[in-house]
Amino acid sequence: MFDKNVYQLKVTFLDSNKNEPYIIIEIIKYDSLTNLFIAVITCFDMNFGHLFGFYDNIRNWTKSKVCYEHFVDNKELEYFAADNAKSTNNTNVKTMLMQNSKMLLLYDYGTEKHFLIEFLKEVPFLPEKEYPRKL
């Protein structure tokens, strides 16, 4: 049987000036990083329209050893991708978090909106719920 267990993640908007700049979301661990990105941006009421990437170096994303970039998935812009970048469409949340329990999500390379993605725990899939979901 297909393992549909769900990851519970804390997502902190590092550039926020709000008192509680974080949310908790649940996502099926085999969802793509692109779906994780969409869930985060939706939960923080932001508009789509900019590129994004996930990086293992929280403080300096340009020095990341592990990165997943949407540039790789966009043939018109793939020459911007880091040499070691992997696809956000073809990488699932489980694969990313097996390497690092914390990753930086960088949205919009112009204004650089930074989100810290932290693995909290694995929880059972609930068929009556729709994923990804904000708790």
Side-chain angles (χ1 to χ4, degrees):
M1 183 173 159
F2 182 67
D3 175 10
K4 279 193 172 181
N5 277 4
V6 171
Y7 283 165
Q8 199 173 83
L9 307 173
K10 179 179 179 183
V11 181
T12 306
F13 184 23
L14 299 175
D15 304 321
S16 176
N17 56 8
K18 295 180 180 178
N19 291 335
E20 294 186 29
Y22 72 90
I23 57 168
I24 306 296
I25 64 171
E26 290 183 343
I27 188 166
I28 296 172
K29 65 184 179 181
Y30 293 109
D31 267 352
S32 72
L33 295 183
T34 300
N35 286 344
L36 174 58
F37 159 76
I38 291 168
V40 169
I41 295 306
T42 301
C43 287
F44 281 98
D45 296 323
M46 294 186 179
N47 295 322
F48 300 99
H50 299 283
L51 294 166
F52 61 94
F54 294 86
Y55 301 91
D56 70 340
N57 190 325
I58 309 296
R59 297 187 192 279
N60 188 348
W61 65 272
T62 62
K63 296 189 188 276
S64 291
K65 293 178 181 163
V66 177
C67 61
Y68 306 91
E69 294 177 339
H70 198 61
F71 290 116
V72 175
D73 302 311
N74 187 327
K75 296 300 176 201
E76 295 174 14
L77 297 172
E78 75 179 324
Y79 55 87
F80 285 116
D83 291 340
N84 62 334
K86 296 181 179 94
S87 166
T88 59
N89 284 343
N90 298 322
T91 305
N92 62 46
V93 177
K94 178 183 177 184
T95 298
M96 179 182 76
L97 293 174
M98 282 175 53
Q99 295 186 18
N100 298 289
S101 62
K102 293 181 184 180
M103 292 290 284
L104 174 73
L105 165 58
L106 175 65
Y107 174 55
D108 187 349
Y109 291 85
T111 61
E112 289 197 16
K113 293 173 179 62
H114 301 93
F115 299 88
L116 179 63
I117 310 291
E118 297 177 81
F119 173 79
L120 295 177
K121 62 184 175 180
E122 191 167 344
V123 296
F125 174 80
L126 302 173
E128 70 276 6
K129 302 294 181 185
E130 189 173 322
Y131 296 96
R133 68 188 192 118
K134 180 179 172 183
L135 297 184

